[in-house]
Every structure is written in C-alpha cells, then in structure tokens.
Amino acid sequence: MARTRTSCLLVCLLAVLTRGVTALDCAPQCRCYGTTVDCSHGALTGFPTNQHIPTSTEVLLLNDNQLSVVFRYPELPTLLELSLEDNSITALSKDSFLYRTSLQILRLGGNAISNLPASAFNGLSQLVRLYLNRNTITTITAFGSNSVVKRLKMLDLQDNKLTSIGIGTFTGVSLLTELNLSSNNISAIEDRSFSHLKELLVLYLHSNHIGMLTNATFMGMSALTRLTLSNNKIQSLPDMAFIGAPNLGFLDLSLNDLSTITQKAFSGLYNLTTLLLGNNKIISIEDWAFGDLVKLQSLVLRNNFLQNMSAATFTFTSAELLANDIANVEDFSFENLANLKVLGIYENRLTNVSAATFKGLVSVEHIGMGNQPIGSFPDDTFWHLPKLAHLGLLGNPLVSISDAVLSPLQSLKSVSNPEN
Ligand SMILES: *[C@@H]1O[C@H](CO)[C@@H](O)[C@H](O)[C@H]1NC(C)=O
Ligand SMILES: *[C@@H]1O[C@H](CO)[C@@H](O)[C@H](O)[C@H]1NC(C)=O
Ligand SMILES: *[C@@H]1O[C@H](CO)[C@@H](O)[C@H](O)[C@H]1NC(C)=O
Ligand SMILES: *[C@@H]1O[C@H](CO)[C@@H](O)[C@H](O)[C@H]1NC(C)=O
Ligand SMILES: *[C@@H]1O[C@H](CO)[C@@H](O)[C@H](O)[C@H]1NC(C)=O
Ligand SMILES: *[C@@H]1O[C@H](CO)[C@@H](O)[C@H](O)[C@H]1NC(C)=O
C-alpha cells in the first residue's frame, strides 16, 4: 500500500517535473499549457494524433516542422489559431480546413504554396487573420467573388511571386483592413482593383515592379490611411493620382524613378501628414505641388537632384488665388504648410536658399539640408521659423555660418555644422 503510494508519488512528481503544469494527455513532442498545444520546432511530418491533443485546444502551434500536407484531423471544435509556418506545404486541397470552422488566425508563411484556388479555405468562414507571406504564390482566386473567408481583416501576401492584380482579385474580402502585397513582382494593377475594400486602412505595395499608376488605381479606397509604394519603378505620377484615397495620412514613394512633381499629383490629400519622396531623381517640383497638403508634418526629399526651390514650392494656394494679386498670395502663404515639422532635403543640388524658400513653415522644428553645394545663407534665411530647433548642414561646403544667421533663433538646440 505504502509502496504503491510512494511509487505513484514518484511517478506523478516526475510527470509534473518533466512536463510542468501540463495536461496528462499532451503529445510527447509538444508542450501543453492552458488551451495551447505547442509542437513547434520539431520533426513532425503529420499532426499529433487525436488522443494527444485535448479537444479543448484553442491554439495549436506546428510551425517549424516537416509537414508537407495539411491534415483534416483531429477535429478541434474550439480551435482559434493554427500555425503551420515554416513547413514544406506545397498545396492546399479543398478540404484542408473543412473542419476548422472556428479558426480565426491561420499562419501559413514560409511554405512552398504556389496556387490559391477558390476552394483552398473551405470551412474558414470565421477567419480574421491569414498569413501567407514567404511562399511562391503566383495566382490567387481565393479572395474573389466566391471567397469563403468573407470575414477576413488582415491578409499577408508579402514575399510571393504575384505579377499582377486584377479587378476581381479582392472582391470577396470586403472587410479587409490590412493588406500586405510587398516584395512580390507586381508590375500591373488594373484600375479599381481595390475599390471593394471600403474598410482598408493599410496597403503595402513596396518592393514590387510597379511602373505606372493612373488616377483610378486607388479609386474607391475611402478609408485608406497608409500606403507604401517605395522601391518600385514609378517614373511619373498622373494628376490626382491619389484622389480615390482622400484620407491618406502616410504616403511612401521613396526609391522610385520620379523626376518631376507636377502641380496636381497630390491634389486632394488634405489629411496627409507624412510624404516620403527620398531617393528618386526629382529635378523639379512645380509651384503649389504641395498646396493641398495642409496637415503635412514630415516631408522628405533627400537624395534627389533638386537645384532650385522657390518659395512657391512650399506655399499653399489654389488656382483662384494665383489669379489674385501678389499681396494676397503672401498672406495665404503663411498658412501653407503650417503644420510641417520635419523637412528633409539632404543630398540634392541646391545652391541658393533664402528666407523665401522656407516662408510659411511656422511649425517646422527640423530642417535637414546637408550634402549639397549651398555656399552661403542670407542672414534672415531662418528668422521666420519660430520653432526651428535642429538644423542639419553636414556635408555642405560652407566655410562658416555667421552669427547673424543663427543668433536670433530662439528655439534652436542643435546645428550640425559643415565639415570644413
Ligand atoms: C504585412 O503587413 C501587415 C499589415 O500591416 C503586417 O501586420 C505584417 O507584419 C506584414 N508582414 C510582414 C512579413 O512584414
Ligand atoms: C518579375 O517579372 C518580370 C516581368 O515583369 C520578369 O522578367 C522577372 O523575371 C520577374 N522576376 C522574378 C524575380 O520573378
Ligand atoms: C482620370 O484620368 C482620365 C484619363 O487620363 C480622365 O479622363 C479623367 O477625367 C480623370 N479623372 C479624374 C477624377 O481626374
Ligand atoms: C481627415 O481627417 C479628419 C479627422 O482628422 C476627418 O474628419 C476627415 O473626414 C478626414 N478626411 C478628409 C478627406 O478630410
Ligand atoms: C535653377 O535656376 C538656375 C538659375 O536661375 C537656372 O539656370 C536653372 O535652369 C534652374 N534649374 C531648374 C532645374 O529649374
Ligand atoms: C546665388 O547666390 C549667389 C551669391 O549670393 C548670387 O550671386 C546668385 O545670383 C544666386 N543665384 C541664384 C540663382 O539666385
């Protein structure tokens, strides 16, 4: 009696010590805690069998194993999250997820899936987040009008092999709020391809091969606040390129081939706070090109070929104002980019700047303008910028800046001086 009790004590103690506070039926390759079963980082080629996975499991982690297919069983009626990341899955069949009807989060990143047929996600009517990044997907029909995953909010297709987006690609996932299409090979986007995505807040299209946009590429995207198009091949922007996305707050066009910023390229972007245009080939910015950007806080134009910036570049006005007399324009110019806090124009070819260049930037706190051949500053260049705290001039050939330029600047905290 005493003996059995002792051995039970030992065995039970051992069980507790080796498994922590685990369910007694946890699969030997897995760790079980709460309603999570973690079988990641192993050598599994199939799902652990039924009797080893508690039926109450909510999170099942099978990432970093050697699975090549997705198994239908065991049925886990309360499963909310399934990770199959970093396995060797090459295809999804029409019944892969048939019995996963409660699933909300599915991670399939880092596999070798190349095709997503309409039936791939059968059963997943509750799915909210779907990760398909780092696969080799070339064609997708799973999110079109026959889509099963109608509740999807986040879709991650980063790092795949998509080459085009068509008008039917995303018609069946109208509740999406985040869509990541970065690091594909997309060169063609049909007009209005995203127009069903009325809730979309974030669209990542950076690192593709997009060469051209039209004024209808982003048509109908009334909720969009964040758009990345950096690292593409865009040479020019049409007039009103973003008129379909009037709520944009953040727009990244860095690392493209833009050479001219025309007057109407950014028309209608009254909510834009950040505009990134660095590392293009911009030679000129037409007057009033930033005229509608009344909430702009950060403008980065570094590493372009700008030579001349007129006061009008940074002033706010409209076509009717142009027809008015000069005095009027000057009054209004104070309101232009009155919210701009950061102006980055490093690495251009500016030679001369003056007070007129920065006129109206009453909130600007940081101006970076190093690495270009600016030879001298008129004394009053920065005098009308009451918030200017940081001035970056590193790499300009200036011999020195006179005290008269800097001493009247009440808010100035730092100046990075020219190197010589
Ligand atoms: C893709 O974008 C989504 C949406 O913002 C984000 O949650 C996700 O982390 C991104 N994926 C990668 C691989 O960076
Ligand atoms: C990307 O697409 C272009 C055609 O648009 C093709 O020539 C190129 O090989 C593709 N690159 C990759 C990495 O698939
Ligand atoms: C968009 O561009 C087309 C042709 O380039 C033009 O006919 C149309 O009026 C433009 N739409 C808007 C809203 O500017
Ligand atoms: C801009 O943002 C404000 C709130 O900050 C919002 O009320 C407005 O509808 C937004 N859109 C446009 C186009 O101004
Ligand atoms: C810049 O201004 C100079 C002198 O006014 C002029 O010769 C040059 O053509 C201008 N450059 C551009 C790109 O407008
Ligand atoms: C640039 O500044 C120099 C020296 O102040 C002046 O002689 C020249 O005319 C200026 N060039 C332009 C285009 O304003």
Side-chain angles (χ1 to χ4, degrees):
M1 191 75 179
R3 197 175 182 172
T4 2
R5 191 179 296 144
T6 314
S7 62
C8 169
L9 266 176
L10 272 174
V11 171
C12 296
L13 190 65
L14 205 63
V16 168
L17 282 175
T18 53
R19 295 174 178 172
V21 274
T22 61
L24 287 172
D25 54 356
C26 193
Q29 317 86 320
C30 309
R31 283 79 54 199
C32 300
Y33 41 90
T35 52
T36 295
V37 177
D38 181 354
C39 316
S40 59
H41 311 295
L44 291 171
T45 53
F47 281 32
T49 49
N50 241 341
Q51 63 268 34
H52 285 134
I53 302 218
T55 50
S56 60
T57 298
E58 291 179 357
V59 178
L60 176 56
L61 306 177
L62 287 161
N63 48 300
D64 192 12
N65 279 286
Q66 291 162 18
L67 301 171
S68 54
V69 289
V70 180
F71 295 87
R72 259 178 300 168
Y73 299 106
E75 276 182 53
L76 298 168
T78 56
L79 194 66
L80 296 176
E81 176 169 353
L82 174 61
S83 177
L84 293 166
E85 247 166 41
D86 299 310
N87 279 280
S88 313
I89 299 163
T90 53
L92 302 175
S93 77
K94 68 181 176 3
D95 48 13
S96 295
F97 303 106
L98 212 52
Y99 305 126
R100 308 277 172 227
T101 49
S102 56
L103 206 62
Q104 294 181 6
I105 304 176
L106 175 57
R107 298 177 193 274
L108 284 163
N111 281 285
I113 301 165
S114 56
N115 186 15
L116 292 178
S119 58
F121 303 110
N122 280 353
L124 297 179
S125 61
Q126 304 299 310
L127 201 67
V128 177
R129 301 181 76 82
L130 176 55
Y131 296 85
L132 287 159
N133 53 307
R134 294 184 292 117
N135 278 281
T136 54
I137 299 165
T138 51
T139 49
I140 32 174
T141 41
F143 311 112
S145 51
N146 295 331
S147 173
V148 179
V149 286
K150 292 191 180 307
R151 300 220 176 156
L152 210 57
K153 283 182 170 286
M154 208 286 309
L155 175 56
D156 192 348
L157 286 162
Q158 185 254 11
D159 199 357
N160 277 285
K161 302 224 175 297
L162 296 171
T163 56
S164 66
I165 302 295
I167 196 160
T169 311
F170 299 113
T171 44
V173 283
S174 58
L175 299 181
L176 272 191
T177 59
E178 295 171 58
L179 175 58
N180 195 339
L181 293 168
S182 61
S183 302
N184 277 272
N185 195 9
I186 299 169
S187 57
I189 302 178
E190 205 178 340
D191 280 356
R192 296 168 202 278
S193 286
F194 307 108
S195 65
H196 287 81
L197 305 179
K198 300 288 183 212
E199 317 264 307
L200 199 71
L201 298 170
V202 176
L203 176 57
Y204 291 152
L205 280 166
H206 55 271
S207 304
N208 278 289
H209 286 90
I210 301 168
M212 209 189 73
L213 302 174
T214 77
N215 63 11
T217 306
F218 303 110
M219 201 47 88
M221 306 191 74
S222 44
L224 195 69
T225 59
R226 196 175 174 87
L227 174 60
T228 62
L229 285 162
S230 50
N231 197 19
N232 276 287
K233 307 264 176 245
I234 304 169
Q235 295 184 0
S236 65
L237 297 171
D239 282 356
M240 309 205 201
F242 307 99
I243 201 73
N247 281 305
L248 270 184
F250 178 96
L251 176 57
D252 189 354
L253 282 159
S254 319
L255 290 159
N256 276 286
D257 297 324
L258 295 170
S259 58
T260 299
I261 302 298
T262 56
Q263 189 186 327
K264 292 191 176 152
F266 301 116
S267 291
L269 295 181
Y270 298 107
N271 273 356
L272 200 67
T273 56
T274 302
L275 177 57
L276 306 180
L277 289 167
N279 295 84
N280 276 277
K281 296 173 179 161
I282 302 172
I283 298 168
S284 67
I285 298 176
E286 289 185 10
D287 287 355
W288 332 116
F290 303 133
D292 283 352
L293 312 184
V294 292
K295 290 200 184 152
L296 202 64
Q297 295 185 1
S298 180
L299 174 61
V300 176
L301 280 160
R302 66 177 297 157
N303 206 1
N304 279 288
F305 301 126
L306 291 170
Q307 289 185 8
N308 303 332
M309 300 191 95
S310 76
T313 308
F314 298 114
T315 53
F316 168 55
T317 186
S318 64
E320 317 87 86
L321 273 172
L322 262 175
N324 283 341
D325 62 288
I326 298 295
N328 246 344
V329 174
E330 300 217 321
D331 284 350
F332 274 92
S333 68
F334 238 71
E335 293 178 353
N336 60 19
L337 295 178
N339 290 302
L340 195 73
K341 291 187 175 146
V342 178
L343 176 63
I345 44 177
Y346 312 83
E347 296 171 77
N348 281 284
R349 294 175 180 176
L350 293 172
T351 48
N352 287 21
V353 292
S354 71
T357 311
F358 303 111
K359 186 176 179 134
L361 299 175
V362 293
S363 301
V364 87
E365 292 169 8
H366 190 138
I367 296 181
M369 51 194 300
N371 289 322
Q372 54 207 327
I374 300 171
S376 68
F377 294 109
D379 287 354
D380 65 348
T381 306
F382 307 111
W383 289 359
H384 305 290
L385 309 175
K387 302 271 173 64
L388 186 64
H390 305 283
L391 186 56
L393 298 171
L394 218 58
N396 288 349
L398 292 167
V399 176
S400 66
I401 313 168
S402 87
D403 266 359
V405 177
L406 301 177
S407 58
L409 306 179
Q410 303 281 315
S411 306
L412 198 67
K413 295 202 181 94
S414 75
V415 179
S416 65
N417 275 309
E419 278 163 335
N420 49 346

